[in-house]
Amino acid sequence: MAHCEDRPSNSEQNSRGRTMDRDLHRRDRVGVQDFVLLEDYQNESAFVENLRKRFKEDIIYTYIGTVLISVNPYKNLRIYTAEAVKQYKGLHFYEASPHIYAISDTALRFLLEENREQCILISGESGSGKTEASKKVLEFVAETTGHTREVDRVKDKLLQSNPVLEAFGNAKTNRNDNSSRFGKYMDIEFLEGSPVGGKILNYLLEKSRVVHQYPGERNFHIFYQLLAGADDEMLSKLMLKRDLDSYFYFSQGEKGAVDEIDDRAQFQTVKSALSTIELTDKEQDDIFAIVASVLHMGNVGMTEVEGRAVVSKLESVEAIAQLLGCEAEKLTNAFTNRTIEARGDVVTTPLNRETALYARDALAKAVYDRLFTWLVTRLNVSLKPDSEKTTKAMGILDIYGFEIFETNSFEQFCINFCNEKLQQLFIELTLKSEQEEYLKEGIEWEPVEYFNNKVICDLIEEKHKGIIALMDEECLRPGEPTDMSFLNKMNENLSDHPHYISHKKADIKTQKIMGRDEFQLVHYAGTVTYNIRGFLDKNNDLLFRDLREVMSVTTNSITKAVFPVSDVTSKKRPETAGTQFKNSVNRLMEILGDKEPSYIRCIKPNDDKRSGIFNEKVVLHQVKYLGLMENLRVRRAGFAFRRVYELFLQRYKSLCPETWPFYKGSAKDGVQTLVNYLGYGKDDYRMGRTKLFIRFPKTLFETEDAFQERKNFVATIIQKVWKGILQRRKYIEMRNSAIIIQKYIRRHLAQNEAQRRRKGVEAIRRFIKGFITRHGPVNEVNKGFIQVAKVHYLNRLAKSLPKSVLDKSWPPCPQSCTEASRYLHQLHERWLARKYRLSLTPEAKKQFELKILAESLFKDKKKSYPNSIASKFVEERLKPEHKTLVPSFVSSHLQNGDKVLYSISVTKYDRHGYKPRERAMLVTSKSLYVLDGKTFKLKHNLPLNSIQEIVVTTASDNLMLLRIPPDLKKDKGDLILEAEPVIEAVTKIVDITKKPQLIKILEADTISHNLIGGKQGVIDITTGPTPAISKGKSGHLVVVASP
């Protein structure tokens, strides 16, 4: 059942303290909140129309006096928030709109404050929301009572009992996805205002569902939850498969999963709940072993050989035997044979296939039914209070409503009998309550005519004469009793009863639609046709002795406990199912009779489980069989409305000048004055001891309408007075506050001023000390100055950074920034260099590479190196007349793509006589060529890889000596050249050859050179004012370099 909170735009019923009276003026739109105020209270259509109005406004609760009617909205809306619980807790029953919390709170307060045991009876047909209603009562009790650790533990157990009972006792039907297939009565036991335990009674589990379901319905939830939620290891242990088609007991109904039901998640909820209610792991394993064994029982197939049943699927029997802990052979024999003890003789008779299948199904139903009973008993053990002190109980009865199906059998007969008993109790207690209130208030009681359904209860349960007694008699008689013989017996004994109709007794129209195997009972809710088939079998509830013997010796702790050996050995015939149910219902009536009842009548608005749909025909049908019209008629037989004098006078006193704004006398006298002024007729009301009784709703409505008109005037007066009170209170509060403030303000101001000055002095002292020590190590005093210095330095630095890579200047910095300044200087220089480098053209980049190479070769080694830095290196330094001759030389002498990489005009000195000769030197990637300066003819062709060494001096001369291997016959010794600039020429050759090791820079006065034939010449190095190279008197070559 999905309950909802009234939408804010449509209802005000969730406001604290808003009474039912205050919503009377909205009755035309949302109906009346209490059916006793319905004008045409005997009209069923008016009754249903009032429900429809409220349903359309999402108001699902309505009263009949103290009876709550709940219409299932089939959608999730919010009325069960923590705020709603706070709103209804502790309120008078009529101080808020109808709600299940109001019923719950009233019952709880009567229990705790007046020490009167309570019971909330919840009824309605399947799908009307009974189970959800019982949950909401439990949740309210849990939320509003004590919260000690022990109390919370008990509450958890009470709340967690629901998912366990729902899993094992609820199933999907065509009317409800979570239909309770058993009746439940729960006592919540209280001690000193807090729940300390509980007790659960269960009634008539629909165990036939285990072996058969109608199309579109499912077996009990736990079977599907186990198959969907258990892990593979657990299923393997239980010898189960997830495929639902594998199990015969699912074959008649809805096999697959249902979108609205999450079996996997529910299984985890059940497992958690079993642990919460303190079931051991062994007990849980035994429970699921029994559930699995029931599924395997359905798969035990039977064949017939010569009239004897034979088990066709022994693997299923072996699985059952393994799960329950019994011998497979004994279980097989018990499935196919029956042992009967007659007059001291024990006779074993083989069963035919049909009887064996009956025995199999009987065992499955018995095992599951007794498991469910054991589970309830085990819950009660867990819920038993620890204290031995006497407790008071609040009961919640969630039981099946009156049922009328197309085919009604033994189960519907029992359910409807239970509802007859509840209706009987309901009417008796309602009349008793009314009579007690009239007596208490001193008002004359007028006897009320009502239908007393005791005659129907007697028809069913009377000793020796009732239907149950006749059924037991038929089950026990010798011979072969059948369902039809039982029907004949009822026809013979009950044909004169006005509420029993046989086929023979029925009128012709009824006979046409009534089978000869059917009978009818005229219940308080209407006539129900029952089919007699199966009545005796279900009443006998027969389980063969052989199967009981096998179950009594199982090792499964639960089956061993629920099939005691005494059950097998006892000679006493057990009570029939009908008698057991009758006795349990009568015990329930005794329990309920000792408690003060509250009633919740649940109604479903349609048969399709759809929200927003209100089917008048479906609702009217339920209104009838819930006996709501009868209840309303009893409630309205006297006075429709009653209210204590204080509440009535408080609400309506503004309608009479003598009672407004204050009445100085008693509330009763004030009400008498008020009704006289309003012109109530003598028969319109009665004055009780504490309450005013109004006979007709019309009288109340006229009073309420007059109040609505008066309300604006009253509101204005109240606002005026209240605003005056608030302002007066505010003035007094302000005046007192001002006095207190003035008392301390001067001292407070002086303290603040002294503190301000102290802080100022400290700030100045810290400032001066920080300024003095700003150049010292960082400390708490000077760190602010240092931070400022750093900021100022960085700002100055940003404005005065060097713009050129050649600019090596750098702004000075404070001491605290020394290290940072050094890093920044390095970073800035690198950044300028990188910026400059990225801006270079390929030619400029090459020039830099050559300059760097020259630096690596000559820096600090040759005196003329600094003078070479400024001038660029060029690829051609030939005289103009030579430049034109280069192309013809290239075409005639260079091959394979070889080209001139460097050319320069040089002076060559002969090795004999050192006569200077004008020459041109061309360097390619492979060779060095020396050409005649006049004719441009080739004089020397030196492969670059043949040059052994290039010798230069450390002086500032331009001499370059090329050492040539002696095996080069064409050349007559080393080659002596003067190249200006020599640093450029040598750097170019090294760059082309990639052999910096060729360079040899000599710091000596003489240099020897090789001549042909192994002879050597000498070159003298001197300094002088005029640089020159010439042959000296000694015959040596003299090189004069500038100092």
Side-chain angles (χ1 to χ4, degrees), residues 602-822:
C602 299
I603 292 176
K604 64 178 183 180
N606 60 76
D607 285 330
D608 303 321
K609 296 176 280 190
R610 294 170 57 195
S611 63
I613 305 300
F614 189 90
N615 187 319
E616 285 86 353
K617 184 177 179 181
V618 171
V619 173
L620 178 59
H621 175 70
Q622 296 170 83
V623 167
K624 286 182 179 179
Y625 74 64
L626 284 172
L628 299 182
M629 295 302 297
E630 182 73 10
N631 175 245
L632 176 58
R633 199 175 63 79
V634 170
R635 192 75 167 77
R636 277 291 301 270
F639 294 87
F641 179 84
R642 58 208 70 178
R643 190 68 81 244
V644 294
Y645 292 128
E646 289 78 7
L647 292 177
F648 188 86
L649 182 62
Q650 179 65 28
R651 181 167 182 78
Y652 297 114
K653 63 183 179 180
S654 62
L655 298 178
C656 175
E658 296 181 37
T659 58
W660 175 257
F662 301 107
Y663 186 77
K664 297 181 180 180
S666 67
K668 182 176 182 180
D669 293 340
V671 170
Q672 184 67 68
T673 301
L674 178 59
V675 297
N676 290 339
Y677 179 82
L678 294 174
Y680 282 15
K682 182 180 179 181
D683 294 330
D684 291 345
Y685 72 98
R686 289 288 187 275
M687 299 290 288
R689 292 190 175 93
T690 63
K691 294 179 182 179
L692 170 68
F693 289 71
I694 298 177
R695 186 179 299 277
F696 304 110
K698 180 180 178 181
T699 305
L700 177 64
F701 293 157
E702 290 173 350
T703 304
E704 176 63 24
D705 292 340
F707 171 70
Q708 292 300 322
E709 294 179 6
R710 179 74 172 172
K711 190 161 57 174
N712 291 333
F713 172 74
V714 173
T716 302
I717 295 175
I718 293 174
Q719 287 176 350
K720 180 187 72 174
V721 174
W722 180 242
K723 286 178 181 178
I725 292 172
L726 289 179
Q727 290 301 317
R728 177 64 181 169
R729 289 177 182 174
K730 186 176 181 181
Y731 165 74
I732 293 174
E733 183 180 357
M734 291 174 64
R735 182 173 178 273
N736 292 337
S737 299
I739 293 172
I740 294 172
I741 292 171
Q742 289 171 357
K743 182 178 179 181
Y744 294 100
I745 192 64
R746 290 180 180 84
R747 184 175 68 127
H748 176 74
L749 291 175
Q751 288 174 340
N752 285 351
E753 179 64 18
Q755 187 176 11
R756 186 182 67 81
R757 291 180 178 181
R758 189 180 301 111
K759 288 181 178 179
V761 171
E762 290 176 355
I764 293 171
R765 184 184 294 118
R766 286 172 61 88
F767 182 85
I768 295 172
K769 188 176 181 181
F771 181 79
I772 294 172
T773 61
R774 67 186 183 279
H775 297 302
V778 179
N779 55 50
E780 286 296 319
V781 176
N782 66 6
K783 67 179 181 180
F785 283 95
I786 292 175
Q787 287 295 108
V788 172
K790 289 179 179 179
V791 171
H792 287 172
Y793 167 68
L794 292 175
N795 288 333
R796 290 196 309 274
L797 180 62
K799 297 175 182 178
S800 57
L801 289 171
K803 299 295 189 294
S804 171
V805 70
L806 299 177
D807 186 357
K808 301 300 180 181
S809 65
W810 191 253
C813 66
Q815 181 182 358
S816 59
C817 299
T818 302
E819 187 176 2
S821 177
R822 180 167 55 83

Side-chain angles (χ1 to χ4, degrees), residues 513-561:
I513 59 173
M514 183 177 174
R516 294 188 178 276
D517 58 351
E518 295 178 334
F519 67 96
Q520 290 183 339
L521 293 182
V522 182
H523 291 281
Y524 77 90
T527 302
V528 182
T529 302
Y530 297 96
N531 191 299
I532 200 66
R533 302 295 179 186
F535 262 64
L536 293 190
D537 281 344
K538 293 175 181 178
N539 188 50
N540 267 324
D541 197 19
L542 184 61
L543 180 64
F544 294 154
R545 173 178 177 175
D546 306 73
L547 292 170
R548 284 185 280 130
E549 285 182 348
V550 173
M551 291 298 103
S552 67
V553 295
T554 54
T555 58
N556 184 295
S557 62
I558 298 175
T559 52
K560 188 174 180 66

Side-chain angles (χ1 to χ4, degrees), residues 70 194 274 399 445 668 691 914 924:
S70 170
S194 297
L274 289 173
I399 202 161
W445 171 254
K668 182 176 182 180
K691 294 179 182 179
Y914 300 116
T924 69

Side-chain angles (χ1 to χ4, degrees), residues 131 135 138 157-171 178-186 199-202 205 220-222 225 270 273-274 277 368 371-377 379-380 383 398:
T131 300
K135 289 181 186 178
L138 266 179
K157 289 182 182 180
L158 290 169
L159 293 173
Q160 291 301 314
S161 66
N162 273 321
V164 174
L165 293 176
E166 286 183 16
F168 287 85
N170 288 24
N178 188 32
S179 177
S180 298
R181 307 318 298 162
F182 70 103
K184 179 181 73 174
Y185 176 79
M186 172 185 284
K199 185 177 182 181
I200 300 171
L201 301 176
N202 64 296
L205 177 71
F220 291 102
H221 291 326
I222 189 61
Q225 293 172 358
V270 171
L274 289 173
I277 57 179
Y368 191 83
L371 167 65
F372 187 77
T373 302
W374 178 90
L375 197 57
V376 173
T377 304
L379 278 171
N380 289 335
L383 292 171
D398 172 10

